[in-house]
Each structure stands twice: as structure tokens, then as C-alpha cells.
């Protein structure tokens, strides 16, 4: 079978193509309205789920490798994608799981770069999940969105990697308009607050939120209100990218 | 010469001991009173300066490798040390500089794991430079503190790595009491403000700073004022570690 030949070649000769010891794992968060999800793959020979990941070509930038993996799984590119941590515990061995894969598929490989230790570089992305058609990779049966509150059993330390990514995303809310690519060109204050609440996983005080987000100077209020709303029509806002960039350059420290 | 034998062995056989393709570089910031410095090594066979760095033993956690390097260069351990970024550009080749090293020392090595591509994991630390006796490693002539505003010429992309570390340290000031190990058990508000100003490289408004830092809840005012001060005696403060931990667990987001 063609697939098994490919797989065998990956185990026997993959190190001629990729850097040894280094992998990339992507935590792809999907947001839409009041929902925050994460994209997972169902591994063919294990049945459990995994974060989309891959290896780094010998002449490829690590950030490009992450973009490539993201593109292959979601069809999206040029979106908010950020390194957040390197997982470098020597006990996060992939040897056992690789041997199991090979056994299940009936391949006999005694020595492989895939049995060696891997450190993995974690990246996370934030996309609108309604704009994505998830695509499994060649070692997966399925590629699906899961609610971040109802995750299936995952291989290796992928649960831990996911958790770290979530904490980093929440931290980043203070510094970056991460919702920039999720809300459309204009949005109301309640819509932006919903985005923050969904990512943070908790309710925020309406007045505090409005005061703090306006104090950052990264929003611009438009002379236009939302039509067809039962109560007081809320104003539309847009991100003021120039102020945002200025704030970033100045450091955007809350102590200044 | 013993040293040259060691060096040759490192080039020929180092990959049996260390992971290929991965290095660690440490940006060690030294603070004291109104000074912020960085610890650099003068490379033996190049003359330019470098960040303290090294490789990861086959069974060593990457964080342990960084701690080990820090300890070897400064004698300090268990201090604030944080991963901040992975530099993964395929063009950051160390081949040329390694060939030059070998040529200068008169060694002939045609093939080596040291000529392959390396990604490097950046860590930064913040220490009190008066408590450190800098120690050069075996490929360096000198190990010295430099003002962050007067850096010498550095090898490879080390200038860039330093700059990223500085930006990350400044960002972290919002979330972590990074001065915890630098100020002593108790300190005055002006002393804490000086620490922030020195790291940020700019003056801060006294009242704004006090208001914001107290709002974080991580400080506790003591019933004791500083003696022997000409003007109004300032109160002493200490870090409230319990509140700090609570704040971290709750997310410590400025939007809450």
C-alpha cells in the first residue's frame, strides 16, 4: 500500500528531510460568537486525539513550519500565530507511541530518528471556526473542533500544551487586539466584550471593561449605531491600528 | 594542548553527548540601584562578544540546561529565569563562525555537528550584579558586565536576541514582581519605582506609579518608615506573595 510505504520512508529517512529532535505543535483556537473551540486530529493507529503538528524542513524557518501546518489543517494563512513555549522535558518521549503506531500498521522498523527525543515548540492561533474546513493529515482519521470545556483524551503531553496555550492567549488579551481578525471591520462594545468573556471564560463588568479597553486608545468610535436593536442602539467601533502600533512601540506598559 | 584536544572532541563527538540542532542562549540582566547591565563573554578566537550559551545534554530538561549555564557563568541558581523566544531562522547559521574558530586555533575538522543548522532557545534572567563573580567558559577570554546602552559588537544574531529579551523583560513587569530577588525583604516606594524606571529606561510619574502598583494588590505596607531620610520618611513595603499567587491564578488580567 502506498500509504504504508510513505510511512515507512518517513521513519527510515525522514531525518534527511527534517531537523532531528524538534517538532512543532499548534493549538488552533476557533472563536465564533460565544464559543471557543480547539482543533484536534484523531490519530489513525491510536484512536486518541492530538494537536496538529509536524516537523521542520532542513531549510525552513520554524515560524514558516507552523504556518505551513496551520494552512494544511485549516486552509488559512497569514493569521495571528504566536510561539508561546518550548516543551523540553526529556521524559516527553515519543518512542513508545511511535512503536505502537508501527506495530498497529504492521511495519517493522528497528531504528528511527522518530524514536529519539523530541522537544516541541508550541504555537497558538486564533481563527473564526466558521471560515475553516478542517482537513486531517495523513496519519489522522478525522480533524474536528472541540469545545475547550469538553476535550477528548489526548496523546503524549498534548493536554498540557493546550492548557499552556490557553493561559498564554488569555494573558495576551492585555497587549494585543487578538480579536482583530474575528470581529469584522466594525463591531459594538457588547460584541467585543463577548469576545473577551468567551476567551477568558468568565463574565466581565460592563462599565469596567468599557473604561479599560477605551483607555488603551486602540479603539475608535464610529458615528454610526447598530440598527434593529431592541434597547439603546450601541455605537460601532473599529480598531485604530495606528494608535495600536504606537502603543506597542511605546511599550504599552500599564505602569506608564 | 589539553584544551585543543577537548575542543576537537567537542566538534567530532559532541553530538553523542548533546542534542543536535538545538542550543540555549541566556540573556543575564544585572540590576543594582540605577543600573541595568548584561553579562557577555569575549570569544577566544573571534574577539567579539557573545551571550552565555550552551547545548542540551541528551537526557537534560531544556530549563535545566539554562540553569546550568547560568550557574556556571554567575555562581547563582534558583533565580528568576524565563524562556522568552525560539530563534529559528535557517540563515542564523553557525557554520561560518565555527570554521573560523577552528582555523584560528589551527584545528582541521572537515565534518561536524557544529556545522549544521542550530535553532536557539532564548532565556533571560535578572540578578543583582553585585552578588555575581562572572566566570568565563572554556571558549572565552573574559566574562563582563556591559551597560545595556553601551554594548560591544556581538557575534551571530546575539544583538537581536538581547533586544528581544529586553522587550520581554519590560513586558513581564506588568505581570510578575520581577524585582522580588533584587530589592531585599523590604523596600520603599521610591526604591521600587527606581527599579521599574531603570528596567523600562524612562521616568515614570510618581503618583501614577504608586496608584497602579498598589492596585495590583501584590504589595503590603509595613508599619515602619525609612530612617535618616532628609524629607518625609517613606514607608517600607514588602511583596505579599499570597496575594501575588492568588492574582496569578485568577489570571491577573487588567480587564477584570
Amino acid at each position: 500500500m502506498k500509504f504504508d510505504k510513505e510511512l515507512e520512508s518517513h521513519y527510515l529517512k525522514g531525518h534527511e528531510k527534517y531537523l532531528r529532535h524538534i517538532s512543532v505543535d499548534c493549538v488552533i483556537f476557533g472563536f465564533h460568537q460565544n464559543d471557543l473551540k480547539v482543533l484536534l486530529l484523531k490519530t489513525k493507529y491510536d484512536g486518541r486525539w492530538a494537536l496538529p503538528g509536524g516537523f521542520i524542513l532542513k531549510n525552513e524557518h520554524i515560524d514558516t513550519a507552523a504556518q505551513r501546518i496551520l494552512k494544511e489543517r485549516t486552509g488559512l494563512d497569514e493569521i495571528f500565530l504566536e510561539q508561546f513555549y518550548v516543551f523540553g522535558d526529556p521524559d516527553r518521549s515519543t518512542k513508545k507511541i511511535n512503536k505502537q503506531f508501527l506495530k498497529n500498521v504492521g511495519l517493522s522498523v528497528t531504528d528511527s530518528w522518530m524514536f529519539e527525543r523530541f522537544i516541541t515548540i508550541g504555537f497558538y492561533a486564533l481563527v473564526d471556526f466558521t471560515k475553516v474546513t478542517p482537513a486531517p493529515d495523513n496519519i489522522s482519521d478525522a480533524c474536528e473542533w472541540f469545545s475547550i470545556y469538553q476535550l477528548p483524551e489526548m496523546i503524549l503531553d498534548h493536554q498540557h500544551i493546550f492548557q499552556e496555550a490557553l493561559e498564554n492567549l488569555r494573558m495576551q488579551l492585555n497587549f494585543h487586539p487578538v480579536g482583530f481578525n474575528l470581529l469584522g471591520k466594525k463591531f459594538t462594545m457588547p460584541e467585543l466584550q463577548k469576545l473577551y468573556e468567551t476567551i477568558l471564560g468568565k463574565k466581565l463588568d460592563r462599565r469596567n471593561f468599557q473604561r479599560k479597553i477605551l483607555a488603551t486608545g486602540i479603539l475608535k468610535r464610529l458615528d454610526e449605531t447598530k440598527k434593529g436593536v431592541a434597547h439603546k442602539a450601541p455605537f460601532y467601533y473599529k480598531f485604530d491600528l495606528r494608535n495600536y502600533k504606537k502603543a506597542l512601540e511605546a511599550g504599552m506598559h500599564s505602569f506608564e
Side-chain angles (χ1 to χ4, degrees), chain A residues 243-254 256:
Chain A
N243 268 2
Y244 169 62
K245 277 183 194 157
K246 262 196 279 178
L248 267 193
E249 276 160 23
M252 209 170 162
H253 301 295
S254 57
E256 289 173 71

Side-chain angles (χ1 to χ4, degrees), chain A residues 24 61 72 91 100 106 127 129 248:
Chain A
V24 166
H61 198 295
E72 286 168 2
D91 292 336
Q100 191 61 45
V127 304
F129 63 72
L248 267 193

Side-chain angles (χ1 to χ4, degrees), chain A residues 10-252:
Chain A
H10 178 74
Y11 276 84
L12 294 176
K13 293 184 183 173
H15 59 280
E16 292 170 9
K17 193 174 166 190
Y18 299 111
L19 294 183
R20 282 172 187 269
H21 302 303
I22 309 167
S23 63
V24 166
D25 282 303
C26 296
V27 181
I28 304 171
F29 291 105
F31 170 82
H32 192 76
Q33 287 175 352
N34 304 340
D35 241 356
L36 188 63
K37 303 186 177 193
V38 64
L39 193 66
L40 300 178
L41 296 166
K42 189 170 191 181
T43 52
K44 260 183 186 158
Y45 305 112
D46 186 279
R48 285 179 301 165
W49 295 77
L51 295 168
F55 305 100
I56 299 154
L57 294 166
K58 289 216 163 172
N59 275 307
E60 186 179 39
H61 198 295
I62 56 171
D63 298 346
T64 312
Q67 285 284 2
R68 173 172 54 77
I69 292 159
L70 186 72
K71 170 106 188 186
E72 286 168 2
R73 300 285 75 73
T74 64
L76 301 176
D77 48 10
E78 288 177 46
I79 54 171
F80 181 83
L81 180 70
E82 183 140 325
Q83 277 186 24
F84 66 94
Y85 203 70
V86 185
F87 299 85
D89 192 328
D91 292 336
R92 64 176 308 283
S93 164
T94 55
K95 184 169 179 174
K96 199 175 140 196
I97 205 163
N98 276 301
K99 292 241 176 195
Q100 191 61 45
F101 274 6
L102 291 167
K103 196 178 162 195
N104 291 356
V105 74
L107 279 178
S108 170
V109 175
T110 51
D111 198 23
S112 168
W113 69 298
M114 291 285 286
F115 300 162
E116 293 169 1
R117 173 180 169 195
F118 276 86
I119 67 162
T120 196
I121 306 170
F123 285 81
Y124 69 87
L126 187 58
V127 304
D128 180 336
F129 63 72
T130 65
K131 292 186 179 156
V132 170
T133 313
D137 61 16
N138 63 356
I139 56 161
S140 308
D141 274 333
C143 185
E144 285 173 24
W145 292 106
F146 283 85
S147 156
I148 64 161
Y149 300 109
Q150 285 180 301
L151 296 177
E153 200 188 343
M154 287 156 85
I155 63 166
L156 298 168
D157 54 354
H158 285 197
Q159 168 76 41
H160 173 59
I161 295 173
F162 160 78
Q163 204 57 48
E164 287 284 322
L166 182 60
E167 278 167 31
N168 268 274
L169 172 65
R170 288 175 172 171
M171 193 81 112
Q172 283 294 326
L173 279 190
N174 294 295
F175 294 109
H176 297 284
V178 291
F180 183 60
N181 54 336
L182 298 175
L183 285 172
K185 268 193 182 159
K186 59 186 185 182
F187 46 84
T188 65
M189 195 56 77
E191 285 164 357
L192 185 62
Q193 184 173 338
K194 267 282 174 244
L195 173 82
Y196 272 76
E197 287 181 337
T198 303
I199 293 174
L200 292 173
K202 59 178 89 176
K203 287 265 171 214
L204 300 173
D205 177 74
R206 188 180 61 80
R207 266 188 283 187
N208 268 343
F209 176 77
Q210 175 153 343
R211 183 175 55 75
K212 285 180 177 175
I213 196 93
L214 288 177
T216 64
I218 60 171
L219 293 184
K220 200 175 160 152
R221 198 176 85 173
L222 304 178
D223 274 339
E224 185 188 349
T225 55
K226 188 166 182 169
K227 305 287 185 288
V229 179
H231 305 291
K232 214 175 83 181
F235 276 99
Y236 276 118
Y237 289 82
K238 64 174 191 175
F239 282 117
D240 184 330
L241 276 190
R242 227 174 64 170
N243 268 2
Y244 169 62
K245 277 183 194 157
K246 262 196 279 178
L248 267 193
E249 276 160 23
M252 209 170 162

